Amino acid sequence: MTHRNSRGDLPNGAAEAQLALVARELASVLATHAEHTERQRTPAEASLKALREAGFFALGTPRSYEGRGAGVRTAVDVCAELAAGCASSSWLVGIAYGGALFASQLPDAVRVAIWESDPDAVVCGAANPSGSVTAAPGGLELGGRWPWISGIDLAAWVLLGIVREDRGRPERGLGLVRASELTVADTWHMAGMRGTGSQTAVARRLFVSDERFVSFAEIADGIGIRRHPGEARVVFPLSINLPLVGTGIGIARGALEHVVRDLAGGKRSVSPLHSHTADAPPHQLNVAQAATLIDTATLHVRRAADEIDEAARAGRRPDLETRARLRMDGSHAMRCAREAVSLLLDTAGASGFSDDSPLQRAWRDIGTASRHAALSVETSRELYGRVLLGRPLPHTDVV
């Protein structure tokens, strides 16, 4: 059964709110196939079909190409709902959202090539610069390897992080290539987030035209709204990173629901002090603390997403202190989600690490996802502290 509606059926706000409800319904479908997704290291076909039919791979596709053109708050809420069923599938929806926002900054001729025939075309990529870059007439020639590109097996287009010379100065940015032009090396063998298929892209003498390159400085400066008036501004990199925090929160929510259901259902205690685990005050406190941590994470990430959406609609970039705080919001939220899962496993006990328990997958997934470089609490804390204390930062376009 498809949940997808025509893009014009509802006002934008109502349509976006409905997407989170659809994601909540879809989570049970994803959960049914989560083990298969993990085993084959890419989403099960039934999960992919459901996500496409719901329009979740078009969350970030501009409305002018029949996409959702959703705000960051919607993407966060959708990813959180989906992750309660399958963290890897949720992560890939967040990656596709971010990839679409990046690609939306490119000229219309490029956007037509990406989306005119398929609003659901997945764009993924690796923002960290890698490989070799050689100037060529009308563009660049790329070669090398770009590791850990989530969703590359699903993607039609891939953004490769590179550094090119601009009038003798290094310039970080992204070059867009067709996925079919790349070789994919099977390198994703990880403890968690296995179903994201975050393999390595290999390029050999691959040409990227100038119109398919966009620098991080240009994105930060608002090149997208200058090229495409009427669209919301992308607040780089926060617009791209926060939906991934939604995935972390959804993992923790799913773990909480499982533990509460298990304990409230009469799980027997191994303690000589209580016959049922739910009667033990330490476990009551653990569950309460985990629920509060999840609420804290949700409040922080939604506040950040709402501020970003407001700035994007107004066409402005928040000031440096605000950007540093919002980055801290996202990282702190992800750390809270991880701590919540840890507390819940303390209460679930060793049985939670059984292969047939979804808790062990939640533990592995949040442990892996929360350590993504863009969500590092340590880096975000230092950046925020430096800004608050007026200490200098190195020149960067990624804060």
Side-chain angles (χ1 to χ4, degrees):
M1 177 179 176
T2 180
H3 291 279
R4 192 167 191 158
N5 294 321
S6 167
R7 302 305 201 269
D9 285 351
L10 295 167
N12 290 342
E16 292 198 19
Q18 187 183 52
L19 287 172
L21 298 177
V22 173
R24 185 176 301 173
E25 293 176 20
L26 200 57
S28 60
V29 176
L30 301 181
T32 299
H33 303 287
E35 185 177 346
H36 184 198
T37 290
E38 180 171 72
R39 190 167 56 249
Q40 68 179 20
R41 293 181 298 136
T42 194
E45 191 54 44
S47 296
L48 288 175
K49 182 174 183 291
L51 292 169
R52 286 195 185 100
E53 288 181 346
F56 289 143
F57 287 133
L59 277 182
T61 303
R63 290 193 179 100
S64 54
Y65 295 94
E66 298 300 311
R68 299 290 188 186
V72 176
R73 169 65 179 271
T74 297
V76 165
D77 287 348
V78 164
C79 287
E81 296 291 354
L82 294 175
C86 176
S88 291
S89 298
S90 166
W91 185 269
L92 292 178
V93 168
I95 290 293
Y97 177 78
L101 294 192
F102 276 132
S104 71
Q105 309 300 286
L106 295 165
D108 260 326
V110 180
R111 302 190 338 160
V112 166
I114 299 171
W115 290 306
E116 186 174 51
S117 62
D118 183 10
D120 299 298
V122 172
V123 182
C124 66
N128 286 335
S130 188
S132 63
V133 181
T134 306
L140 305 166
E141 189 176 272
L142 310 184
R145 297 166 67 88
W146 284 260
W148 295 354
I149 300 183
S150 298
I152 192 169
D153 290 333
L154 316 177
W157 298 84
V158 180
L159 292 155
L160 300 177
I162 56 177
V163 178
R164 74 171 187 180
E165 292 296 316
D166 179 35
R167 293 182 289 277
R169 295 175 299 176
E171 182 180 41
R172 269 187 77 180
L174 298 163
L176 180 74
V177 303
R178 292 184 184 274
S180 58
E181 298 177 297
L182 297 165
T183 301
V184 177
D186 184 1
T187 57
W188 187 245
H189 301 277
M190 303 292 283
M193 302 300 289
R194 292 175 178 172
T196 61
S198 304
Q199 311 285 16
T200 296
V202 182
R204 295 181 178 86
R205 303 192 64 179
L206 183 57
F207 179 73
V208 175
S209 64
D210 285 333
E211 68 175 357
R212 290 188 179 179
F213 173 85
V214 63
S215 73
F216 292 155
E218 289 174 323
I219 297 173
D221 194 43
I223 194 171
I225 56 170
R226 293 197 299 275
R227 283 174 167 167
H228 315 293
E231 293 185 8
R233 179 175 183 155
V234 170
V235 180
F236 174 75
L238 293 160
S239 301
I240 283 83
N241 294 342
L242 283 184
L244 305 180
V245 180
T247 296
I249 292 171
I251 294 170
R253 283 183 190 164
L256 177 65
E257 290 170 5
H258 179 88
V259 170
V260 167
R261 187 169 56 247
D262 200 25
L263 268 60
K267 181 180 178 180
R268 303 288 297 181
S269 174
V270 296
S271 166
L273 303 175
H274 304 280
S275 60
H276 293 89
T277 304
D279 294 328
H283 294 307
Q284 294 167 359
L285 297 175
N286 271 1
V287 169
Q289 179 66 9
T292 301
L293 284 166
I294 295 167
D295 282 345
T296 299
T298 302
L299 291 168
H300 273 280
V301 77
R302 283 181 169 172
R303 178 182 75 167
D306 286 342
E307 286 193 44
I308 291 167
D309 282 341
E310 181 183 356
R313 287 191 296 268
R316 62 178 173 81
R317 190 185 191 204
D319 61 37
L320 177 60
E321 182 174 327
T322 301
R323 298 198 309 274
R325 173 176 58 79
L326 296 178
R327 177 172 176 151
M328 188 71 238
D329 278 348
S331 299
H332 178 66
M334 192 63 127
R335 179 63 65 88
C336 285
R338 190 170 89 199
E339 290 175 358
V341 172
S342 181
L343 281 169
L344 292 166
L345 276 158
D346 285 345
T347 284
S351 64
F353 293 89
S354 169
D355 283 345
D356 60 2
S357 169
L359 289 178
Q360 54 80 25
R361 185 182 302 118
W363 174 67
R364 289 185 289 104
D365 284 344
I366 194 70
T368 303
S370 63
R371 289 173 172 87
H372 190 286
L375 306 174
S376 166
V377 168
E378 288 75 18
T379 300
S380 295
R381 188 183 294 136
E382 181 181 359
L383 284 168
Y384 191 29
R386 281 195 182 199
V387 170
L388 288 174
L389 296 172
R391 299 297 90 187
L393 291 176
H395 174 71
T396 176
D397 298 305
V398 296
V399 177

